[in-house]
């Protein structure tokens, strides 16, 4: 089972990210190379990278199982302000360079929101932008995340994802599934086999390079995108566990992006990471109804 969560990339960069992942019992992890909401980026420190790579080797963690997530502010679909669109392109290029420096092989990208454009125009803008960005010779592949279809999000169904993949000349492009987004977009995760069959026919299973494992706070087809802890949402533990353990996807890293837990039910601030306990219950194959209490007690 290749499983982990998103982790921090701050003071000691890749080394700190790895150590956080190990503290959760993970053998995969995902990071943002800076804050997801802004474009401030610290310089990559090659010493930390070296130490991290050595430690990954002793811990048996593969670089293929380390994923980067591009910041949300990148929007390749909206070309209303040409400078903003150009900025998104150059910023994503810079993020890819940072990944290459770190040795990271996959970067997850939200395809974008079309805003005032039609969905079709938005998708054409994404294709045009990716044709400026994606090259065959890069060691870092962009993987397009399937979206919930909140607002004007593009990439909310497999047809849209396929149109983007087909429109980009380089084939150095993959897909990242997100179970919460798929549920919210209207794909029933209780019948994941049917979804996979559709995916295989339309796109090909070899394009799936990462899966975000999240439960959802909302019902099938709600187009909301609010993640829930594993087993505490509308998808449920068993359906998610079956996806994680699916034979056809066994080599694909599974990444949790579930919400942090608050100090108490009355408290709103989400401060405690649930991943150690969510990973444990997935490994065990059994829902833990005391997830929140266990997390609160552990990080006291
Ligand atoms: Fe995402
Ligand atoms: Fe996601
Ligand atoms: Zn989401």
């Amino acid at each position: 089972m290749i499983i982990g969560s998103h982790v921090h990339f701050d003071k000691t960069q890749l080394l700190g990210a790895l150590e956080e992942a190990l503290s959760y019992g993970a053998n995969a992890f995902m990071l943002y190379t800076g804050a997801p909401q802004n474009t401030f980026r610290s310089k990559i420190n090659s010493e930390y990278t070296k130490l991290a790579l050595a430690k990954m080797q002793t811990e048996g963690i593969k670089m293929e199982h380390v994923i980067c997530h591009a910041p949300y502010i990148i929007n390749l679909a909206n070309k209303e302000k040409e400078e903003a669109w150009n900025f998104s392109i150059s910023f994503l290029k810079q993020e890819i360079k940072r990944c290459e420096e770190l040795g990271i092989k996959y970067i997850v990208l939200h395809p974008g929101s079309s805003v005032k454009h039609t969905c079709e125009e938005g998708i054409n803008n994404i294709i045009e932008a990716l044709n400026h960005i994606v090259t065959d010779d890069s060691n870092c592949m962009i993987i397009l995340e399937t979206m919930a279809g909140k607002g004007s999000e593009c990439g909310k169904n497999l047809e849209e994802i396929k149109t983007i993949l087909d429109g980009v000349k380089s084939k150095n492009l993959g897909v990242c599934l997100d179970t919460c987004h798929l549920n919210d977009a209207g794909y029933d995760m209780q019948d994941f086999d049917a979804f996979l069959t559709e995916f295989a026919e339309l796109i090909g299973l070899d394009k799936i390079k990462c899966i975000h494992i999240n439960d959802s706070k909302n019902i099938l087809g709600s187009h909301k995108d609010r993640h829930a802890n594993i087993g505490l949402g509308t998808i449920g533990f068993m359906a998610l566990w079956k996806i994680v353990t699916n034979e056809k996807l066994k080599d694909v890293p599974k990444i949790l992006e579930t919400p942090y837990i608050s100090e108490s039910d009355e408290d709103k601030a989400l401060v405690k990471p649930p991943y150690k306990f969510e990973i444990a219950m997935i490994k065990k194959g059994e829902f833990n109804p005391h997830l929140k209490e266990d997390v609160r007690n552990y990080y006291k």
Side-chain angles (χ1 to χ4, degrees), residues 145-151 153-161 177-189 195 198 216 218-226 234-235:
E145 182 163 356
T146 59
M147 302 310 288
K150 187 176 70 183
E153 274 174 353
C154 304
K156 59 190 176 294
N157 58 49
L158 297 186
E159 288 76 12
E160 291 181 10
I161 296 281
L177 305 179
D178 183 310
T179 55
C180 168
H181 298 177
L182 287 171
N183 170 81
D184 291 14
Y187 290 101
D188 190 357
M189 293 294 97
F195 169 78
E198 194 181 332
S216 174
N218 293 287
I219 57 164
L220 183 67
S222 59
H223 303 296
K224 287 280 204 317
D225 189 3
R226 289 194 63 213
T234 58
I235 302 174

Side-chain angles (χ1 to χ4, degrees), residues 33-48:
T33 75
Q37 323 80 356
N38 69 40
T39 54
F40 178 78
R41 293 292 179 268
S42 58
K43 205 177 170 305
I44 304 291
N45 180 319
S46 62
E47 278 311 305
Y48 293 137

Side-chain angles (χ1 to χ4, degrees), residues 6-238:
H6 75 86
V7 294
H8 297 89
F9 180 90
D10 37 36
K11 289 151 281 174
T12 56
Q13 300 188 340
L14 192 60
L15 181 62
L18 170 66
E19 282 166 348
E20 184 181 347
L22 291 172
S23 81
Y24 300 148
N27 58 2
F29 57 95
M30 182 174 82
L31 53 87
Y32 292 83
T33 75
Q37 323 80 356
N38 69 40
T39 54
F40 178 78
R41 293 292 179 268
S42 58
K43 205 177 170 305
I44 304 291
N45 180 319
S46 62
E47 278 311 305
Y48 293 137
T49 307
K50 257 186 245 160
L51 290 169
L53 293 178
K55 191 162 183 149
M56 281 171 66
Q57 205 148 40
T58 52
E59 296 288 343
I61 294 183
K62 290 186 189 162
M63 211 61 217
E64 284 73 18
H65 302 155
V66 178
I67 311 288
C68 176
H69 198 305
Y72 314 134
I73 36 116
I74 292 177
N75 186 359
L76 304 182
N78 186 8
K79 217 179 161 180
E80 219 189 322
K81 292 193 190 105
E82 189 114 19
E83 329 83 80
W85 185 73
N86 283 326
F87 176 79
S88 281
I89 292 174
S90 62
F91 194 76
L92 184 53
K93 282 183 180 171
Q94 189 194 312
E95 283 286 277
I96 291 169
K97 281 216 185 82
R98 288 165 70 76
C99 285
E100 288 171 339
E101 227 181 302
L102 289 161
I104 294 175
K105 306 219 178 318
Y106 299 108
I107 179 165
V108 176
L109 176 72
H110 293 179
S113 293
S114 57
V115 192
K116 286 181 189 159
H117 303 293
T118 64
C119 176
E120 205 185 348
E121 287 165 345
I123 286 173
N124 285 332
N125 293 338
I126 295 167
I127 292 170
E128 191 186 346
L130 288 175
N131 272 321
H132 290 298
I133 300 164
V134 183
T135 57
D136 288 329
D137 58 5
S138 174
N139 293 321
C140 179
M141 179 189 279
I142 292 176
I143 54 179
L144 302 169
E145 182 163 356
T146 59
M147 302 310 288
K150 187 176 70 183
S152 61
E153 274 174 353
C154 304
K156 59 190 176 294
N157 58 49
L158 297 186
E159 288 76 12
E160 291 181 10
I161 296 281
K162 182 185 163 58
T163 304
I164 301 170
L165 292 171
D166 287 349
V168 178
K169 279 182 217 83
S170 169
K171 294 303 139 206
N172 194 15
L173 199 57
V175 179
C176 173
L177 305 179
D178 183 310
T179 55
C180 168
H181 298 177
L182 287 171
N183 170 81
D184 291 14
Y187 290 101
D188 190 357
M189 293 294 97
Q190 311 303 320
D191 194 0
F192 190 68
D193 285 335
F195 169 78
L196 267 196
T197 304
E198 194 181 332
F199 194 101
E201 279 167 12
L202 213 57
I203 296 172
L205 295 186
D206 59 318
K207 283 284 177 190
I208 303 173
K209 305 300 182 189
C210 178
I211 308 178
H212 291 165
I213 302 291
N214 303 307
D215 216 322
S216 174
K217 291 198 171 154
N218 293 287
I219 57 164
L220 183 67
S222 59
H223 303 296
K224 287 280 204 317
D225 189 3
R226 289 194 63 213
H227 302 185
N229 291 103
I230 304 302
L232 300 181
T234 58
I235 302 174
F237 178 79
M238 266 335 276

Side-chain angles (χ1 to χ4, degrees), residues 1-5 25-28 244 253-256 279 282-283:
M1 192 181 286
I2 304 159
I3 189 155
S5 68
N27 58 2
V244 174
K254 321 295 185 310
I255 302 290
L256 301 165
I279 289 170
I282 289 169
K283 282 184 180 168

